[in-house]
Amino acid sequence: MRKSMSLPISPGDPYGAVPGGEYEAPRSAPAQPVPGYPLRPRPSATAADETGADALYAAPEQPVCEVCCGSPATEVAVRHHQGLLLFLLFRKQKGRFCRTCGTALFRGLTAKTLWQGWWHPLSALIFNPLTIVVNLWARAKINHLPEPGYDLLGTRRDPGRPVYRRPAALVAVVPAAFVLYLLGALVVG
């Protein structure tokens, strides 16, 4: 019979005995619960008398931009569609963005969609126009934000030119005109 080499485990110690050490009694739970949400400390009794009981908890903290840490920011998803001859590619960039970074993201992905999204029949008729409309909806949400403050980190995106002044928008005129011609031919005759 083989003799076990393990140390005895006491019922109050889930990790077993420490070799060469004495058994330590389990610690009692802390008297106060560990602070969690909200992260700000609870107001003192004197502050509650001066400003109201929940004055420090009345205003929630503003969300910040994921790119530049500017505030205020909003949760938005900007899409990009690429219609290849055999495949359809759908991409989405979702996150919190300030007005400047959200505008830059909208302009970049919409410009790509305008020249890459027309080269599949389903893309030209359904998916590319739908992607453009959904991006315009996201742009309206971004436009409701005020301008963010000074860029402390230097990471704010440059919005660049508006979409209609980019070369990609001019490339989109040809496939869009062809799709409108085909739809008009189907309706007329």
Side-chain angles (χ1 to χ4, degrees), residues 72-76 78 97-104 106-107 135-148 159:
T74 186
E75 187 79 26
V76 69
V78 182
F97 301 103
C98 65
R99 183 179 178 130
T100 306
C101 294
T103 300
F106 164 79
R107 289 179 180 176
N135 280 352
L136 289 173
W137 188 274
R139 175 70 174 131
K141 191 174 179 182
I142 293 168
N143 275 342
H144 286 298
L145 293 173
E147 286 292 328

Side-chain angles (χ1 to χ4, degrees), residues 7-188:
L7 298 171
I9 298 175
S10 65
D13 188 7
Y15 301 108
V18 178
E22 293 293 320
Y23 172 73
E24 198 174 299
R27 295 184 182 141
S28 61
Q32 296 290 334
V34 177
Y37 181 82
L39 297 177
R40 291 172 283 183
R42 195 160 241 343
S44 65
T46 57
D49 294 337
E50 295 171 5
T51 59
D54 291 328
L56 295 179
Y57 292 93
E61 294 185 22
Q62 288 186 347
V64 296
C65 177
E66 293 179 1
V67 178
C68 68
C69 297
S71 181
T74 186
E75 187 79 26
V76 69
V78 182
R79 288 161 168 73
H80 165 59
H81 174 70
Q82 191 174 6
L84 304 172
L85 293 176
L86 300 175
F87 301 104
L88 300 173
L89 297 175
F90 298 92
R91 295 187 180 112
K92 173 173 67 170
Q93 190 160 354
K94 185 178 180 181
R96 284 191 194 135
F97 301 103
C98 65
R99 183 179 178 130
T100 306
C101 294
T103 300
L105 181 67
F106 164 79
R107 289 179 180 176
L109 292 183
T110 302
K112 284 183 182 178
T113 298
L114 283 173
W115 73 274
Q116 293 177 350
W118 303 99
W119 310 116
H120 189 276
L122 288 175
S123 294
L125 295 174
I126 298 170
F127 297 119
N128 202 38
L130 185 66
T131 302
I132 293 169
V133 169
V134 169
N135 280 352
L136 289 173
W137 188 274
R139 175 70 174 131
K141 191 174 179 182
I142 293 168
N143 275 342
H144 286 298
L145 293 173
E147 286 292 328
Y150 180 73
D151 184 16
L152 296 174
L153 302 175
T155 57
R156 189 164 293 154
R157 291 183 179 177
D158 179 26
R161 294 181 177 178
V163 175
Y164 63 87
R165 293 188 63 208
R166 294 181 183 216
L170 298 176
V171 172
V173 171
V174 175
F178 182 70
V179 168
L180 291 175
Y181 171 75
L182 288 179
L183 290 175
L186 288 173
V187 171
V188 173

